[in-house]
Amino acid sequence: MSALDDLPPLRDVIRKHGLSAQKSLGQNFLLDLNLTGRIARASGPLEDVTIVEVGPGPGGLTRALLALGAKRVIAIERDRRCMDALAEVADHYPGRLEVIEGDALKVDVRSLLGEGEARVVANLPYNIATVLLVGWLSTDPWPPWFSSLTLMFQKEVAERIVAEPGSKAYGRLAVLAGWRTKGRIAFDVAPSAFVPPPKVTSSVIHLVPRAEPLPCALSALEKVTEAAFGQRRKMLRQSLKTLGVDAMALLAAAGVEETARAEEIDVAGFVRLANAFSEGIGRPFGALSALK
């Protein structure tokens, strides 16, 4: 008996359906139902909430979400081998689990949602985790369709997402995440919790969208941070030249020190740089078309 429901233990489910985690799919199965329950609870109370889950595998986190009261779970899984195991979970929770067989990078989640609050809670496949996150953070219009993201990453990636200026982990991902969300690491997960155990510790992060991020064009912010962190050891007066602008004029307009390096600039500073870039400051006359 599991601690959450009267479905079979996950090890028995995996054995019954002949499942094994595939490295090519970025899979590491999480079998500890106490831990999956902790992840589910990290997103907050689940009653009347629709949860989008990516990479449910044999359904450990899926079961926790449903057992703890989620109104509906939309689980996106590309591994056909897991379909029978997930069908058993769906039968146990009639009308509350919808399994979508497909690639999460291609599924239009918004078209699947009904009325009410929606969140993302997932032990993401490691090989597409960052790409998925960037896609969610780049949602347009903003605020997005989700009220929060509770996600599992490799600890090193999680630290990059919530990093503060001045740290070695601070980079483009931290700027994007910090611009549009407030984030924190909820807790770490040891390799021994997974089958097979990965070589690194994992972390669960919780991100809440900012209702009104600082006004800025996403495309401009992406270009400026790419230039700045592409040569992060150089001063910005040098690295920003790759934008094809007068870097000194751009920095002056944004109120950023010319001798500063990328890792020293906070999100607000990058937003000012992006806005100045959008306005064409420092660009040769007639070069604004490059922004489009």
Side-chain angles (χ1 to χ4, degrees):
M1 299 289 285
S2 78
L4 285 172
D5 52 42
D6 56 4
L7 285 166
L10 283 170
R11 291 186 183 278
D12 292 350
V13 173
I14 288 175
R15 188 179 305 112
K16 174 183 176 181
H17 296 286
L19 300 177
S20 59
Q22 291 194 353
K23 186 175 181 180
S24 62
L25 296 177
Q27 291 175 327
N28 293 91
F29 295 153
L30 194 57
L31 303 187
D32 185 339
L33 291 177
N34 291 320
L35 186 52
T36 60
R38 188 180 180 191
I39 296 170
R41 287 189 294 271
S43 72
L46 296 169
E47 291 79 7
D48 298 321
V49 178
T50 294
I51 300 295
V52 175
E53 182 188 6
V54 175
L61 179 55
T62 315
R63 287 166 59 171
L65 291 164
L66 291 164
L68 291 171
K71 178 178 70 174
R72 180 181 175 217
V73 174
I74 301 171
I76 304 170
E77 177 59 68
R78 66 176 297 182
D79 187 353
R80 179 167 293 182
R81 299 176 308 146
C82 297
M83 293 299 115
D84 289 343
L86 292 171
E88 293 175 358
V89 179
D91 289 342
H92 191 75
Y93 295 97
R96 294 172 58 198
L97 174 60
E98 179 178 357
V99 180
I100 307 297
E101 184 181 347
D103 185 343
L105 294 172
K106 300 177 180 178
V107 174
D108 179 9
V109 173
R110 279 180 286 192
S111 67
L112 304 174
L113 300 175
E115 297 295 326
E117 181 184 358
R119 303 178 197 158
V120 182
V121 182
N123 171 22
L124 296 174
Y126 282 161
N127 58 350
I128 60 169
T130 303
V131 177
L132 283 169
L133 176 63
V134 170
W136 290 325
L137 294 175
S138 302
T139 297
D140 188 39
W142 196 271
W145 52 267
F146 52 86
S147 63
S148 68
L149 303 169
T150 304
L151 308 170
M152 179 97 74
F153 290 92
Q154 294 182 21
K155 185 174 182 178
E156 180 181 354
V157 178
E159 290 174 341
R160 286 171 47 209
I161 295 166
V162 302
E164 296 290 338
S167 67
K168 291 183 179 179
Y170 186 66
R172 297 178 63 195
L173 189 56
V175 173
L176 177 59
W179 172 48
R180 282 195 151 174
T181 67
K182 295 179 181 179
R184 62 181 175 84
I185 293 180
F187 56 89
D188 295 336
V189 181
S192 58
F194 298 90
V195 175
K199 297 180 180 179
V200 296
T201 298
S202 300
S203 296
V204 174
I205 66 169
H206 184 65
L207 301 170
V208 178
R210 297 181 188 273
E212 297 182 359
L214 294 170
C216 181
L218 174 61
S219 60
L221 187 63
E222 290 176 333
K223 288 183 173 71
V224 167
T225 53
E226 180 179 12
F229 287 104
Q231 303 179 70
R232 64 184 299 147
R233 293 185 179 181
K234 293 185 177 181
M235 295 179 185
L236 290 173
R237 67 187 183 192
Q238 184 65 33
S239 60
L240 292 181
K241 289 181 179 178
T242 59
L243 291 170
V245 302
D246 180 340
M248 298 291 283
L250 191 68
L251 290 163
V256 176
E257 291 291 334
E258 64 185 60
T259 56
R261 291 177 170 80
E263 65 185 33
E264 300 170 339
I265 307 304
D266 62 12
V267 172
F270 275 112
V271 167
R272 294 196 303 273
L273 284 168
N275 287 336
F277 181 64
S278 292
E279 293 167 7
I281 294 175
R283 283 186 171 275
F285 182 76
L288 290 182
S289 60
L291 281 174
K292 298 179 181 179

